Amino acid sequence: MTKKDIQPSEYNEYFGRYINLVSDETELLQGLENDKKFVIDFFSSIPKEKLEYRYQPEKWTIKEVLQHIIDTERIFMYRFLRIARADKTALMGFEQDDFIFSSEANSKSIDELLQEFTITRLYTLNLVKSVPTKYLSNMGVASNSPISARACAFILLGHSIWHSNIIKERYL
């Protein structure tokens, strides 16, 4: 399955900002593998002295952005599982700033954060591989909007691109 298989009706238009960053030809599992390498290489290349930099006082540090990518993946994979398994329970949203505050990401080393990301992504790959393709188009509701299981996974690919672009523009 590739990104071009997803229809705009499978996600809230807000998530289009992420999905639109992913090439139409991107195959889900290979895309997740490629993105894993991209995230690790990108965050590993950032100078240590920049990792706790904020371009404005209320903005996240680079370490906090990486923690946000990790936490978002955990939440979207939970949604993916529930929706792929045909659970019709509406799923709540989450307050990303609360997650960052209580994560204490700046007290972690970049190696610890990258290990956390790697383990999370390995879980994601395992979960996606375990779901028969015919259930990836299952629809559910998250944050009061319809979303498919496969959209939950593809959003992650664009999400990391989105944040790396912001880091390049505003932090480095």
Side-chain angles (χ1 to χ4, degrees):
M1 177 210 339
T2 63
K3 188 230 143 176
K4 69 181 171 192
D5 296 319
I6 298 176
Q7 302 303 310
S9 60
E10 293 182 46
Y11 55 88
N12 181 299
E13 71 178 54
Y14 172 85
F15 295 116
R17 68 171 66 186
Y18 306 127
I19 289 181
N20 292 337
L21 293 173
V22 180
S23 163
D24 282 349
E25 307 311 313
T26 301
E27 188 277 324
L28 182 55
L29 286 171
Q30 190 59 54
L32 288 165
E33 287 283 2
N34 293 346
D35 185 65
K36 177 176 163 265
K37 181 177 179 354
F38 166 75
V39 169
I40 291 168
D41 291 348
F42 177 73
F43 282 93
S44 295
S45 74
I46 296 173
K48 300 266 188 243
E49 64 273 8
K50 288 285 197 173
L51 294 172
E52 294 182 27
Y53 169 73
R54 299 173 196 275
Y55 69 91
Q56 290 181 0
E58 71 281 0
K59 297 298 181 182
W60 297 338
T61 67
I62 291 174
K63 283 182 177 181
E64 289 170 332
V65 171
L66 179 53
Q67 185 70 66
H68 167 70
I69 290 170
I70 295 164
D71 287 345
T72 299
E73 183 152 341
R74 289 170 170 150
I75 288 165
F76 274 77
M77 281 297 99
Y78 174 72
R79 291 173 177 179
F80 173 92
L81 174 63
R82 299 274 305 262
I83 294 166
R85 296 287 195 255
D87 184 343
K88 298 297 182 195
T89 306
L91 303 169
M92 300 292 294
F94 71 104
E95 177 46 60
Q96 60 188 13
D97 289 320
D98 292 343
F99 270 61
I100 291 304
F101 177 76
S102 62
S103 74
E104 298 188 8
N106 292 321
S107 69
K108 300 174 185 178
S109 71
I110 192 64
D111 291 335
E112 289 170 323
L113 286 165
L114 289 171
Q115 180 181 24
E116 192 174 337
F117 171 77
T118 300
I119 291 167
T120 302
R121 181 53 58 92
L122 291 173
Y123 167 80
T124 294
L125 286 160
N126 182 266
L127 178 57
V128 172
K129 286 176 190 174
S130 78
V131 174
T133 303
K134 65 183 178 181
Y135 299 113
L136 295 177
S137 60
N138 282 0
M139 294 294 295
V141 174
S143 299
N144 300 314
S145 295
I147 193 164
S148 69
R150 62 190 179 186
C152 288
F154 273 102
I155 286 166
L156 297 175
L157 299 179
H159 188 247
S160 58
I161 296 168
W162 174 272
H163 283 291
S164 67
N165 288 343
I166 289 174
I167 289 170
K168 289 175 197 172
E169 292 169 16
R170 300 179 187 169
Y171 290 79
L172 302 178

